[in-house]
Each structure stands twice: as structure tokens, then as C-alpha cells.
Amino acid sequence: MSNDVRLRSELPAWPTYGDEEREALIRALDQGQWWRIGGGEVDAFEAEFAAAHGSEHALAVTNGTHALELALEVLGVGSGTEVIVPAFTFISSSQAAQRLGAVAVPVDVDPDTYCIDPSAVEAAIGPKTRAIMPVHMAGQMCDMDALDKLSADSGVPLIQDAAHAHGARWRGKRVGELGSVAAFSFQNGKLMTAGEGGAVLFPDAEMYEKGFVRHSCGRPRTDRGYFHRTSGSNFRLNEFSASVLRAQLTRLEDQITTREQRWPVLNRLLAEIPGVVPQSRDDRGDRNPHYMAMFRVPGITEERRAKVVDVLIERGVPTFVAFRAVYRTDAFWEAAAPDLTVDELARRCPHSEALTRDCIWLHHRVLLGSEAQMHEVAAVVADVLADA
Ligand SMILES: *Cc1c(COP(=O)(O)O)cnc(C)c1O
């Protein structure tokens, strides 16, 4: 850190917003009806978000965690069932399954793409498996060819955790064209946001209807007699959030194009830094929205990594330590978990173990910066790591 290299100019702020969001909020306000039952913003957002992802059935919900819970519930996940999840992910992937009383079964990820390893999934499928949940890590689509085949052969449905994958494509197909349920998040840091929010894409109208009823306390859309048909909860998105998300959706494609241009530049520069190994790309994921720029520093200690992250933030680079393997949290063991110890799970998930220690990620607003800023960011990372 001797050179004290820091960013010379500020990176773009996140969230991005402007008159489109301002006007949308006023439009929602002036409807005089602020929930979806009386307003038009949630309905319009669902239609627009579905169309953008090659689907006909999007259901807007309160947040991404609820999107996963609702999607899993529609797939029949509950107590006595198991859901296969990647060990290396944000906790909501496993927590959503556990919240329904199911056992979350963590399996290992690929050490290069950080996406769920299909051979590990195959080994974990058993008679109680009710869903397989690939997480498209940082916008890199999982190997959907291999996972589709596993799903077809076993009869176990896929549910895509697409919290990082707004606008992503796999061999030209959009998330909603892949034939499985998909759940999105619109939390403040995600690729489009209303502070909080979520959505589920369903492959058919029947599943959408099941989801709709459950997300509205088990009550059909036109019910006036309090005939609650199924169990459920209130996961309804409000009109203000939907109005903002409609504006955010109009920015998504251009922002992806910018990040698709910046990421190869930054990744090449990061790869030149001694000790740094950036996330690999599987080109079959041929549109990658780049939710983060991730890299590993193999052999770094957790303590030193924490220090590196702190210094990078001080130098103007928004940086985070990556996720902890889900079974390395107290939360995981408070709910239904496999009949294994932490050490046994760790032995089965060596790559997730390594990522828990050595992986770092940069916020996607880095990738909205100028090409010159990619060089600046890499120079800061190189300087901080050289000293540390
Ligand atoms: C953000 C995230 C979620 C949860 O979304 P929230 O809207 O924060 O509830 C789920 N899965 C993954 C992989 C995420 O990164």
C-alpha cells in the first residue's frame, strides 16, 4: 500500500434513477389506490417483466426470499421433502426451503464459475428430493443443459434462483424460456431495484394462479366473500414499488450492455495481478448481466481478506467478502438440515469451503464506470494485494 493508489474519480452511484422513477411514483400516488387490487402498476409491471424475460406469467412479490418461498411452495416443497441448493450462495436459497419445513441439502459448486456442480446434484438426488435450485452466480448461468437433463431424468423440477440474473440468457434463451420456475430479487443492491421487491416467473397459467392465490392469503383475485381457498400469506407487492420497477426495467438492457463491455476488460486486468483468479465465464451463458465482478485469492486467510476488503473500500472501490457456505451459519442448523455434521458437509463441498475463505466481489456499479476506471480499479486491487 506504499503507493497508496486510489480511485481518481467516483464510480457511478447505485441505484440509478431519474425523472422516470420520479414520474412513476407520482403516477402511482395519483391513482388513489396503493395496493395491487385497486391499482394498475403491479399488473403492468408483471406483464412488462414477463415479456422482457420471454415468459407470460410473472408474479410480483414483496422480496426475493418470499419469491423463492412461494415458488417452492407451488412446487410442493414442505416438510418431509428435500431441496438441493448450492452450498455457496446467499442464505435465502436454503432458508426459503427450510422456512417451508423442507431439508435444504447443500452440494458443491464449480471452482471456476462458482455455479452448482451438476454431478454433485446428481449424487444428491434421492426419493425425497422435491426441487433442485441452481443459483446463477453473479449473472453467470448455471449449466442448464446438464441440469435440464437431470431434471427430466429424475422428474425433479428445477427452480432457478435468478436473484443475480435479470436479463441473462443461456444459449440465446431468456430465463423465462428455459421451462422452469424462476425467482428474482429487487433488493437495493440488485440489478434493478425498488429498495425491496421480488418476482416469480411461472412456466404456465395454472402455476401462476396457484402462486397468485397463495401470495394473497389464499384468496382468489375476485373474491369478496372471504373464501380463502388455500393456505398462504401476504406477499403482495405495493403499487409504488411496482411503478419504480417499471422505470428500472427500461434501464436494464443498456446497463447490461455497458457491463458486458467492461467486464472482459476488468477481468483481464485482474487476471494479470499475481495471486488473483477471476470468476470464469461459461460462454453458453451468452448474455451475462454481471451482478458482481468476483475473484479469488487462493491461499489468502480470512483475516487478511477482511483487511484487503476494508482497504479497497477506503480507496474508493466498493468491495465485499463473498458468501459463507450456508452450512457454516447458525441459521442453517436451527432449521431442517441434513443428518450430517459440518465437517462431513465441508468434506463434500471442498470448493465452497475454499470460496468461503478466499473469494471477494466488487459491486456491479464498478462495471458501470468508464473503461479508464476499469484500469484504475485493477491498479488499486494490485496495489492493495501487493502490500497485504
Ligand atoms: C439477494 C438474494 C436473494 C434474496 O433476495 P431478497 O430480495 O434480499 O430477499 C436470494 N438469493 C440470492 C442468491 C440473492 O443474492
Side-chain angles (χ1 to χ4, degrees), residues 63-65 68 89-90 92-93 135 161 163-164 185-187 190 196-197 323:
N63 58 63
T65 307
L68 288 169
T89 179
F90 183 63
S92 290
S93 309
V135 178
D161 180 338
H164 305 174
S185 164
F186 308 120
Q187 171 255 76
K190 297 290 155 72
E196 301 281 2
F323 309 119

Side-chain angles (χ1 to χ4, degrees), residues 56-85:
E56 285 173 26
H57 314 285
L59 181 69
V61 295
T62 31
N63 58 63
T65 307
H66 286 165
L68 288 169
E69 275 184 44
L70 189 72
L72 288 169
E73 200 175 16
V74 168
L75 291 174
V77 169
S79 70
T81 70
E82 294 177 358
V83 178
I84 297 173
V85 300

Side-chain angles (χ1 to χ4, degrees), residues 180-296:
S180 41
V181 177
F184 292 83
S185 164
F186 308 120
Q187 171 255 76
N188 202 67
K190 297 290 155 72
L191 293 172
M192 44 183 284
T193 181
E196 301 281 2
V200 185
L201 297 182
F202 290 108
D204 61 51
E206 198 185 323
M207 286 177 97
Y208 173 90
E209 269 316 306
K210 275 190 188 164
F212 185 96
V213 171
R214 285 188 189 277
H215 106 304
S216 193
C217 301
R219 196 176 186 192
R221 198 184 283 261
T222 51
D223 170 64
R224 292 167 70 189
Y226 298 98
F227 295 110
H228 301 268
R229 294 264 174 78
T230 63
S231 70
S233 189
N234 179 359
F235 289 171
R236 292 187 305 263
L237 190 69
N238 67 78
E239 289 287 291
F240 299 110
S241 300
S243 76
V244 170
L245 289 168
R246 292 179 70 192
Q248 292 274 297
L249 183 59
T250 66
R251 301 178 188 280
L252 179 65
E253 279 304 314
D254 284 351
Q255 289 172 337
I256 294 175
T257 300
T258 302
R259 290 189 298 262
E260 279 276 51
Q261 286 163 359
R262 298 292 179 263
W263 185 83
V265 176
L266 181 63
N267 231 41
R268 179 174 52 74
L269 294 167
L270 290 174
E272 287 167 2
I273 302 170
V276 172
V277 184
Q279 183 185 21
S280 308
R281 177 160 186 165
D282 177 343
D283 279 323
R284 290 174 297 172
D286 50 12
R287 187 138 173 96
N288 184 330
H290 297 293
Y291 173 57
M292 354 183 204
M294 304 183 86
F295 60 91
R296 302 180 59 177

